[in-house]
Amino acid sequence: MSVSVLASPSRYVQGKNAIAELGTHLEGLGSTPLLVADDIVWGLVESALTQGFTAAKLPVIRVGFGRFATPAAVDALVEKIRTGKHDVIVGLGGGSAIDAAKAAGHLAGVRWASVPTAASSDAPTSALSVIYTEEGEFIEYRFFPRNPDLVLIDTQLVAGAPARFLVGGIGDALATWIEARATRRGTGSAMAGGRPTRAGTALAELSWNILWENALPALDAVRAKVVTPALEAVVEANTLLSGLGFESGGLAAAHAIHNGLTAAPQTHGLTHGEKVNIGSVTQLVLEGAPTAEIEDFIVFTTKVGLPNSLTEIGLSADDRKELRAVAEAATVEGETIHNLPFPVSADQVVDALIAIEGISRRVRAEHGLPEPVKYVAGH
């Protein structure tokens, strides 16, 4: 593949109380926006958003949303767009609402905007959506010819969200550099099409560096429900830098293993970033990364609150059937794991998944960190 591609949203807006300015930034995109948000998210944003829309002379028309971006949910939004004659769709809240809005906007031929209320993933900036079943199992990636026209994130909303959401975003973003550097070393393509750009790879590394410096104080800020420079830095790393980094730098094993894990019922209820972090540790083992790097990653992610053992995602080394299913799904033809600069088999993935349990327990014991706690789905 001889071309490289950099993809990005048309505009990115971040800051404290930025939700009040959403109407101003939407004015140039359309006159009849359709807002997609669940009841909880709407309760958080309705007042400030409505004031901004009134000032911009935009109507406030909102439709609810369920839990996952399913094919049916996307099709229902397309119908809403067409019957309501909307010219822009806005996904507010978590990654699934945003993904559903992007997919519906593409199918309906209108513009779309992403407004995450937590820095829980790097999905908002991308030109793709992840589609799931009603039970939350991965179905497919849907790719679009362009990125969102607007991404807006209010850091005060991030500060007010549960800390676990930010933890998940950190897990998603940490994988970006691990995967981008592997893709760069190999011959695979980035999600934007073509080989990774140097810019995409550099942004992935910048995201990584910011997180190692700021993740822990940013989590302190969220627990205190305040906005600090550390939180602003992490929100940008999780959302913008990781978003551009994964799309134009490339995905590899971490996200492929995440996709496989969605099929294991024991992992249901875990956030996207929590499952991705298991993929990151597993990728480091698969690569034969330096021992110090693996150990540092386990120490750091344990302090952040991310799982790095099978126990913490409800599995064990004895769950061979489930581990085999995860590995088979992660290594199907076309999965991003094949961006690694060497061939990977399902057997290798099973072995690496089993290995991370012992590595995690040993490293934690050596550094005086707590043992892994068993995760039970639904709790």
Side-chain angles (χ1 to χ4, degrees):
M1 194 168 292
S2 59
V3 300
S4 298
V5 179
L6 177 70
S8 70
S10 299
R11 176 163 296 196
Y12 178 85
V13 179
Q14 173 184 317
K16 187 174 182 177
N17 301 321
I19 193 70
E21 300 179 18
L22 178 59
T24 300
H25 292 286
L26 284 175
E27 275 184 292
L29 300 180
S31 58
T32 54
L34 176 65
L35 306 171
V36 182
D38 64 31
D39 291 343
I40 294 174
V41 168
W42 190 242
L44 295 172
V45 305
E46 181 181 10
S47 177
L49 181 152
T50 300
Q51 291 178 26
F53 271 47
T54 300
K57 295 181 172 57
L58 291 175
V60 178
I61 304 169
R62 171 248 175 177
V63 64
F65 186 75
R67 187 175 180 188
F68 297 111
T70 65
V74 171
D75 291 344
L77 288 176
V78 172
E79 184 62 23
K80 288 280 187 182
I81 292 169
R82 289 174 175 163
T83 57
K85 297 183 179 179
H86 298 284
D87 50 10
V88 58
I89 184 169
V90 184
L92 297 108
S96 283
I98 290 169
D99 277 356
K102 284 192 284 187
H106 169 67
L107 289 174
V110 301
R111 304 175 91 167
W112 61 85
S114 301
V115 184
T117 51
S120 56
S121 82
D122 54 19
T125 65
S126 72
L128 65 88
S129 291
V130 187
I131 305 299
Y132 295 96
T133 66
E134 296 286 353
E135 291 73 38
E137 295 182 16
F138 172 79
I139 297 176
E140 64 182 355
Y141 291 113
R142 290 190 186 179
F143 297 91
F144 314 124
R146 59 186 175 85
N147 295 67
D149 296 284
L150 170 70
V151 177
L152 183 145
I153 186 162
D154 185 330
T155 47
Q156 186 60 60
L157 289 174
V158 175
R164 187 183 178 195
F165 290 173
L166 188 66
V167 169
I170 292 167
D172 197 19
L174 285 170
T176 303
W177 171 235
I178 293 173
E179 294 183 287
R181 69 184 185 184
T183 304
R184 188 78 188 173
R185 288 197 296 259
T187 60
S189 62
M191 304 301 276
R195 288 286 293 153
T197 58
R198 289 169 181 81
T201 305
L203 291 172
E205 186 175 18
L206 178 58
S207 175
W208 170 271
N209 291 337
I210 288 172
L211 293 172
W212 279 77
E213 180 67 25
N214 294 281
L216 296 177
L219 285 165
D220 293 335
V222 168
R223 292 182 182 112
K225 300 191 181 305
V226 296
V227 177
T228 64
L231 179 59
E232 291 280 4
V234 168
V235 170
E236 184 175 341
N238 283 10
T239 312
L240 179 64
L241 300 176
S242 181
L244 272 60
F246 97 78
E247 190 169 22
S248 299
L251 297 180
H255 274 78
I257 290 167
H258 160 275
N259 294 342
L261 286 170
T262 64
Q266 294 94 329
T267 71
H268 288 181
L270 291 166
T271 67
H272 172 80
E274 287 169 340
K275 286 176 282 194
V276 168
N277 202 62
I278 294 298
S280 293
V281 183
T282 306
Q283 178 174 324
L284 292 174
V285 172
L286 281 168
E287 293 175 317
T291 299
E293 183 177 15
I294 296 175
E295 294 185 354
D296 287 348
F297 189 79
I298 288 172
V299 169
F300 179 64
T301 55
T302 300
K303 290 180 178 179
V304 167
L306 286 161
N308 47 51
S309 66
L310 293 180
T311 297
E312 293 167 295
I313 59 168
L315 294 168
S316 75
D318 295 328
D319 293 318
R320 297 301 175 98
K321 180 181 177 182
E322 288 84 353
L323 294 178
R324 167 58 59 175
V326 169
E328 294 285 357
T331 54
V332 296
E333 184 179 353
E335 252 299 357
T336 58
I337 198 168
H338 302 296
N339 278 342
L340 289 174
F342 50 85
V344 185
S345 69
D347 288 342
Q348 289 172 298
V349 174
V350 171
D351 288 349
L353 283 166
I354 292 170
I356 69 171
E357 180 72 23
I359 296 171
S360 174
R361 289 182 176 276
R362 172 181 59 78
V363 171
R364 289 174 184 231
E366 290 173 354
H367 289 82
L369 295 168
E371 290 187 356
V373 176
K374 181 78 171 181
Y375 173 75
V376 179
H379 294 269

